[in-house]
Amino acid sequence: MPESLPVLDVSPLIGAGTEAARDALARAITAACRDCGFFYVVGHGVPPPLLAELDAASRAFFARPLAEKLEIAMDRGGRAWRGYFPVGGELTSGAPDLKEGLYFGSELPAAHPRVRAGVPLHGANLFPARVPALRPAVLAYIEAMTRVGHALMTGFARSLGLADEYFARHYTGAPTVLFRVFHYPPSTGEGWGVGEHTDYGLLTLLAQDDCGGLQVKTPRGWIEAPPIAGSLVCNIGDMLDRLTGGEYRSTPHRVRNTSGRARLSFPFFFDPDFAAEVRPLPRAAAIDDDRDARWDRASVHAFEGTYGEYLLAKVGKVFPELRAAIDG
């Protein structure tokens, strides 16, 4: 029987779970993170009709002619780094991905202090006028997933022997929230929808349609992470790797859509405050730096600075022209 990722019911963190149930879930999180850093999440409380509305509006958008989609191109999003990119417009390890997509984030007004200060990745989203249903679906989904992110971080804190509110107090009181909608055309088997990579922040929560294509690099080799109805795929990012000194690894993953159909995925990133300096936890043992084994040969433990600086350096490699425009 092929290896599969564990399925964790996180409802004890979402509702009125008992202490015993939360402790049992924390132990399951520990086991998953020490192994491969990926697991399925059920009992998360995100209403299925909301995801259905988001899926339908996204498909309507990607079905529009390219010229119409480019009306909200990312270069029109300015420093907020929001909007649409076409197939091949995003790079992984310098190679163009076989996908197109939409970048969203927390919807911030022009009067917000960070927007007024010109802080990158902060501002208003770009929405297509020709698909009006997308805006309310995206904003409602971001709100729902932000609640899930906060709840899950209490479970991660408990799994690390920390107070439930540790991350909210130190890192996620004002989280960096990023949301993507990716459309993968059918692949002929050549090239990757997105190549091998790790995610940058704390947690990624992924909703995917029924096409499959996600692959995860476990300690025993690459495995498929097929869709499970009603679930989210959760994986940990570079900053949780850094915080735990490598006890919880950010795990490489990739996508190739061989279903013969268009594939949609909805990755939601719940990350530290843009201005937070991410340092090893007080309980972290000696740092186990896997620089030489990582996909990018870069150390997440040697970095010094804020999460925003780390994120900009990484995203700038994905969209070098946009980073040059911000730096310019």
Side-chain angles (χ1 to χ4, degrees):
M1 183 176 180
E3 181 180 359
S4 59
L5 301 176
V7 180
L8 304 188
D9 182 349
V10 301
S11 57
L13 303 176
I14 305 298
T18 65
E19 289 297 301
R22 292 192 181 107
D23 286 342
L25 178 56
R27 290 192 294 271
I29 290 173
T30 299
C33 291
R34 286 178 174 171
D35 181 41
C36 69
F38 265 80
F39 52 91
Y40 292 98
V41 167
V42 298
H44 47 73
V46 178
L50 175 55
L51 185 57
E53 292 168 9
L54 178 63
D55 183 283
S58 299
R59 291 183 190 279
F61 172 79
F62 288 118
R64 307 297 296 186
L66 178 60
E68 292 185 10
K69 290 184 283 190
L70 288 172
E71 291 174 358
I72 56 166
M74 289 185 70
D75 59 7
R76 301 188 181 190
R79 300 179 73 84
W81 226 323
R82 312 287 172 85
Y84 169 78
F85 69 88
V87 174
E90 185 173 84
L91 307 179
T92 301
S93 298
D97 294 336
L98 299 180
K99 69 177 189 294
E100 59 181 336
L102 287 162
Y103 268 44
F104 300 107
S106 297
E107 180 77 2
L108 300 177
H112 189 281
R114 289 189 177 179
V115 179
R116 291 173 59 189
V119 178
L121 276 71
H122 291 70
N125 292 293
L126 298 181
F127 291 105
R130 300 170 192 267
V131 186
L134 190 60
R135 186 180 195 279
V138 165
L139 295 181
Y141 191 75
I142 288 175
E143 182 179 357
M145 294 296 286
T146 300
R147 289 195 296 269
V148 176
H150 279 295
L152 276 177
M153 289 312 301
T154 67
F156 273 86
R158 188 171 291 215
S159 81
L160 291 163
L162 303 168
D164 287 1
E165 67 275 10
Y166 181 89
F167 288 105
R169 184 184 302 155
H170 294 283
Y171 292 108
T172 59
T176 301
V177 168
L178 303 173
F179 176 51
R180 315 290 186 237
V181 181
F182 291 145
H183 172 246
Y184 297 83
S187 172
T188 61
E190 296 295 328
W192 291 95
V194 57
E196 179 180 349
H197 67 287
T198 56
D199 295 337
Y200 311 139
L202 288 174
L203 291 185
T204 303
L205 293 164
L206 172 73
Q208 52 179 333
D209 67 11
D210 62 355
C211 288
L214 174 63
Q215 299 177 3
V216 175
K217 191 176 186 180
T218 76
R220 295 158 297 282
W222 287 97
I223 67 168
E224 299 286 337
I228 296 177
S231 75
L232 303 168
V233 178
C234 179
N235 67 276
I236 60 180
D238 291 346
M239 292 300 98
L240 204 51
D241 191 330
R242 177 177 174 82
L243 281 162
T244 62
E247 179 184 357
Y248 288 7
R249 289 288 190 211
S250 53
T251 301
H253 48 289
R254 63 192 183 189
V255 173
R256 176 173 281 159
N257 178 22
T258 58
S259 67
R261 296 178 286 132
R263 176 184 187 265
L264 283 187
S265 71
F266 305 91
F268 175 87
F269 303 94
F270 188 83
D271 295 344
D273 186 318
F274 199 79
E277 290 196 31
V278 181
R279 302 181 182 277
L281 296 171
R283 65 171 294 282
I287 292 172
D288 181 11
D289 195 338
D290 64 342
R291 177 201 305 259
D292 293 337
R294 276 179 59 92
W295 63 281
D296 56 358
R297 300 296 187 267
S299 173
V300 302
H301 304 285
F303 172 79
E304 296 292 337
T306 65
Y307 176 62
E309 291 166 336
Y310 183 84
L311 179 60
L312 284 175
K314 292 292 186 178
V315 178
K317 294 179 180 179
V318 175
F319 294 106
E321 292 182 359
L322 284 174
R323 181 59 196 268
I326 287 179
D327 290 343

